[in-house]
Amino acid sequence: MRLTISPNPDFALLDMELDLVIALYEERSPEIFLQSGTPRPDRHFLLGMAQTIVVAVEESDKDSVLFLESGAAELQDSGELRTLHSSLLIVRSIEGRFSAIVFGDPRQARRLARRAERWFTGTVRLDIP
């Protein structure tokens, strides 16, 4: 799976093959895209990724978050091309590296990251050890 962003930023993770992309939105549930043949990720793993991204976005970590004023993202997998209309994307390479890509206002990205953390917390049964 490949993610292309125009205009093309210099960000190492975009040159790698991806196995997971999460698109986050204000008014609806996150969309999770998996590379063909990849098993569905564990809910606890997704929650951990969301928690890590919250911290990275809030601290404006330049190594793990790409901040863009504007741009368009397209996801290509198995010949299918999708345009992603999200202000915050969480991406993971097949090597296990993951980052966030923010389009537009960083304050909105912080809200979306916190919303994602609440969303994925809600998918995990916290009352079971």
Side-chain angles (χ1 to χ4, degrees):
M1 204 166 43
R2 290 280 182 186
L3 185 68
T4 55
I5 297 176
S6 47
N8 189 15
D10 181 27
F11 197 63
L13 197 66
L14 295 176
D15 296 330
M16 298 179 184
E17 186 74 18
L18 303 176
D19 68 350
L20 173 71
V21 175
I22 303 171
L24 302 166
Y25 303 97
E26 286 281 352
E27 301 297 325
R28 63 182 204 220
S29 307
E31 285 183 294
I32 300 173
F33 302 97
L34 299 171
Q35 184 179 34
S36 298
T38 303
R40 190 172 164 198
D42 179 76
R43 293 175 292 185
H44 293 85
F45 172 76
L46 293 173
L47 174 58
M49 279 185 65
Q51 290 170 333
T52 303
I53 292 301
V54 166
V55 173
V57 169
E58 287 183 352
E59 292 181 354
S60 298
D61 181 6
K62 301 288 186 206
D63 293 328
S64 58
V65 182
L66 174 62
F67 291 95
L68 301 171
E69 289 184 22
S70 64
E74 291 184 330
L75 184 63
Q76 182 175 5
D77 184 31
S78 301
E80 186 177 340
L81 190 64
R82 292 186 182 108
T83 301
L84 303 178
H85 301 284
S86 172
S87 299
L88 177 60
L89 299 173
I90 300 172
V91 298
R92 185 179 82 157
S93 72
I94 59 174
E95 290 87 19
R97 290 188 52 201
F98 63 96
S99 296
I101 301 170
V102 174
F103 296 97
D105 187 5
R107 291 174 297 183
Q108 181 183 20
R110 283 193 292 277
R111 276 194 317 272
L112 286 172
R114 287 188 210 118
R115 187 173 190 281
E117 182 181 29
R118 284 190 305 277
W119 172 267
F120 289 114
T121 298
T123 66
V124 176
R125 293 272 318 261
L126 298 176
D127 60 334
I128 298 174

